Amino acid sequence: MTRTRTAPEVKWVANEMAAVRGELERIEKSMARLVQLRSKLQEDLAALEHVAEQLATVPPAARDLSVRTHGRYGTRGALRNWLRQVLQQAYPRALDSLSLTEQAIAVFGLQFTSTRERYRFTTDILGSALRKLVEYGEVERVHDVSRPSNRIGAWRWKMPDCNLDELRQRHATR
């Protein structure tokens, strides 16, 4: 059996074709999911518009309004409340942003169409919720905030300060 050698340019073209095919398959799956979601939302909107036509109290201007809702994570504040719960359960350990992202994907059933979209969720949405909890004094950063922003952050539930008597009482109850 003789061993053949494939030219580098042939390997490159084959790899690029495979990568493009894979990306197209991923996009097709995302598009199918979005088409299905769009169809459902259009049905919901048609039903709501039908009801609005029958109600005399709905002003005409309100029928054309659109807003972006908080429905992606359930009720308003659901993501932040979930973060509180997860960080409290992990205390005194800290959790990094990537593991929190993985857990959020599983809990909320999130699907991202690209790595950029996933990165934006981690830095913008999850990061914003964590920074807000830091602002409230409920969570503390374990990472150095002066380092470059593209690094992974670590977060920990912040226990309220207590005096020596409270520490003794806590220790005695263990």
Side-chain angles (χ1 to χ4, degrees):
M1 179 173 183
T2 60
R3 189 169 176 183
T4 60
R5 184 165 174 90
T6 306
E9 60 273 9
V10 173
K11 286 182 184 177
W12 179 84
V13 169
N15 284 336
E16 289 299 309
M17 287 188 321
V20 170
R21 280 190 192 101
E23 185 69 8
L24 286 171
E25 287 174 9
R26 186 188 60 76
I27 289 170
E28 289 298 324
K29 285 181 183 177
S30 294
M31 286 177 58
R33 183 180 58 82
L34 291 173
V35 165
Q36 185 178 15
L37 177 61
R38 181 177 187 226
S39 176
K40 182 198 174 303
L41 291 173
Q42 285 175 331
E43 289 173 8
D44 291 349
L45 181 60
L48 290 168
E49 286 173 342
H50 179 70
V51 171
E53 289 172 2
Q54 297 175 20
L55 298 174
T57 58
V58 178
R63 294 179 185 164
D64 294 331
L65 293 176
S66 67
V67 295
R68 296 190 72 181
T69 63
H70 296 277
R72 194 167 190 185
Y73 312 108
T75 60
R76 182 174 175 87
L79 178 64
R80 212 177 288 164
N81 289 334
W82 173 79
L83 283 169
R84 284 181 179 108
Q85 178 186 359
V86 168
L87 291 170
Q88 281 176 344
Q89 289 174 351
Y91 184 81
R93 291 180 302 113
L95 298 175
D96 64 88
S97 299
L98 294 181
S99 66
L100 287 169
T101 298
E102 290 299 322
Q103 290 181 47
I105 288 169
V107 168
F108 295 106
L110 303 177
Q111 295 180 347
F112 302 110
T113 57
S114 66
T115 54
R116 171 175 275 161
E117 188 178 343
R118 181 188 174 103
Y119 175 79
R120 286 183 58 211
F121 169 79
T122 302
T123 58
D124 296 346
I125 297 169
L126 190 75
S128 175
L130 287 163
R131 288 186 296 275
K132 189 57 91 171
L133 291 173
V134 167
E135 186 180 310
Y136 293 158
E138 299 176 29
V139 170
E140 60 186 346
R141 287 180 175 100
V142 183
H143 59 277
D144 182 8
V145 294
S146 64
R147 66 184 183 175
S149 61
N150 62 346
R151 299 278 178 126
I152 299 170
W155 312 85
R156 179 174 55 206
W157 186 252
K158 185 176 180 182
M159 290 301 287
D161 294 333
C162 56
N163 60 33
L164 188 55
D165 291 332
E166 290 172 344
L167 285 174
R168 285 185 186 126
Q169 187 178 9
R170 285 185 192 173
H171 185 66
T173 59
R174 287 187 179 177

